[in-house]
Amino acid sequence: MEIAPVETAARPVVGYAKDYPAGLLAEAHAHPKAQVIYAVSGVMQVETQEASYTIPPSTALFMPSDMVHSIYMDGPVAMRCLFMRDGVATRMQNTCKVISVTPLLRELIVAACLEPLDWDLKGRGHYITSLALDEIDRSDVLALSLPLPSDVRLRRVIDAIRQMPSSQRSLGEWADIAGASERTLARLFRKDTGLTFRQWRQHARMTAAMCALSVGESLTAAANLAGFQSQPAFGAAFRKIFGITPGQVKAMGGGGLNNGL
């Protein structure tokens, strides 16, 4: 397999670069090493059994070893990943985390992907990967995970909301689509996701807005997608969830990289 040399590389951190066409689905799989899943362009939708993660170019996903996941390429994706031995990213521990990607970390990931798998232990590869690990440990952790339910009725609703995050349908209207009462659906939201319907929908909307900003959409379009008429109100709500402003996300996503593409 193409990925096998990366998974068995002796170095503590190695890079992996691959470009994917729009719409490609990497079906459920796992790797024996932990990963930082990143794309210098394009947006990925990563799903585990418990949650969904939208990963635009301003963020990356730390994934522990042996975790089953799938990846959908929402448009053409230039993936640049780091595969690492368990424990080298000390702050990440053993849970999925979405992290912010600084311009420095972006460049380091790309540079690591240009190094051979057996990079010199005293050379450039050592310094690049060491600094990358330090940047990863310093990165902000972002609330970009959406809990996924197991109940099939609730899953119908959640899948539809993810397709139409700006929909104004009430919980009662979604209950009709799900084939369950409004009261049952409200209970399922709290039980299966730990969030109320309104909380889950708002988070889905904000995640979609972040994705849109990262691929160049305007602040107005992102605010509308999140269900806001007012940009200041959108900005305040966005910052409360993610700890950064919509403008900062747009700036991080718009720079792009030439190295390694």
Side-chain angles (χ1 to χ4, degrees):
M1 292 176 61
E2 177 185 355
I3 198 71
V6 179
E7 293 178 327
T8 58
R11 299 296 181 258
V13 181
V14 293
Y16 175 71
K18 189 171 178 65
D19 296 347
Y20 295 96
L24 185 140
L25 174 65
E27 295 186 355
H29 63 285
H31 300 285
K33 289 186 174 182
Q35 295 173 266
V36 170
I37 303 173
Y38 176 63
V40 293
S41 64
V43 176
M44 298 175 288
Q45 307 284 347
V46 183
E47 285 196 9
T48 67
Q49 289 183 330
E50 293 80 24
S52 171
Y53 304 87
T54 298
I55 311 299
S58 56
T59 71
L61 176 64
F62 175 83
M63 179 165 288
S65 61
D66 300 316
M67 178 165 286
V68 176
H69 63 284
S70 63
I71 306 178
Y72 176 75
M73 311 303 168
D74 194 358
V77 168
M79 182 186 284
R80 302 294 183 265
C81 289
L82 298 180
F83 281 76
M84 58 191 66
R85 197 180 297 155
D86 281 340
V88 296
T90 54
R91 181 177 167 225
M92 295 297 105
Q93 299 177 351
N94 200 38
T95 57
C96 282
K97 291 183 176 69
V98 179
I99 60 173
S100 61
V101 174
T102 63
L104 175 57
L105 179 55
R106 190 185 303 190
E107 295 285 359
L108 290 167
I109 292 172
V110 171
C113 289
L114 297 175
E115 289 294 302
L117 296 180
D118 59 347
W119 45 258
D120 186 349
L121 290 172
K122 296 183 179 180
R124 186 171 182 267
H126 165 72
Y127 296 112
I128 289 171
T129 56
S130 295
L131 186 53
L133 287 173
D134 186 67
E135 278 294 290
I136 290 166
D137 281 341
R138 292 170 181 263
S139 295
D140 293 328
V141 176
L142 304 176
L144 274 172
S145 64
L146 279 172
L148 295 179
S150 56
D151 186 275
V152 293
R153 295 165 295 177
L154 189 55
R155 189 60 187 252
R156 285 191 209 114
V157 176
I158 276 177
D159 288 344
I161 292 173
R162 290 168 70 190
Q163 290 294 320
M164 303 178 294
S166 60
S167 172
Q168 297 297 319
R169 282 183 174 139
S170 67
L171 184 60
E173 291 171 316
W174 283 119
D176 292 338
I177 293 170
S181 70
E182 182 175 350
R183 183 176 179 179
T184 295
L185 203 57
R187 177 179 57 80
L188 287 172
F189 259 105
R190 289 189 295 269
K191 176 177 176 289
D192 272 24
T193 73
L195 301 171
T196 66
F197 162 70
R198 289 182 179 275
Q199 288 171 331
W200 197 97
R201 183 179 64 180
Q202 184 67 5
H203 204 87
R205 286 174 169 178
M206 286 299 193
T207 300
M210 173 176 266
C211 179
L213 290 167
S214 295
V215 296
E217 292 288 345
S218 68
L219 294 175
T220 300
N224 290 337
L225 189 62
F228 285 84
Q229 301 296 320
S230 162
Q231 282 194 34
F234 167 63
F238 191 96
R239 182 161 190 164
K240 183 177 180 180
I241 292 176
F242 300 126
I244 54 177
T245 68
Q248 287 174 307
V249 173
K250 190 170 176 62
M252 286 189 290
L257 281 176
N258 295 319
N259 297 346
L261 296 183

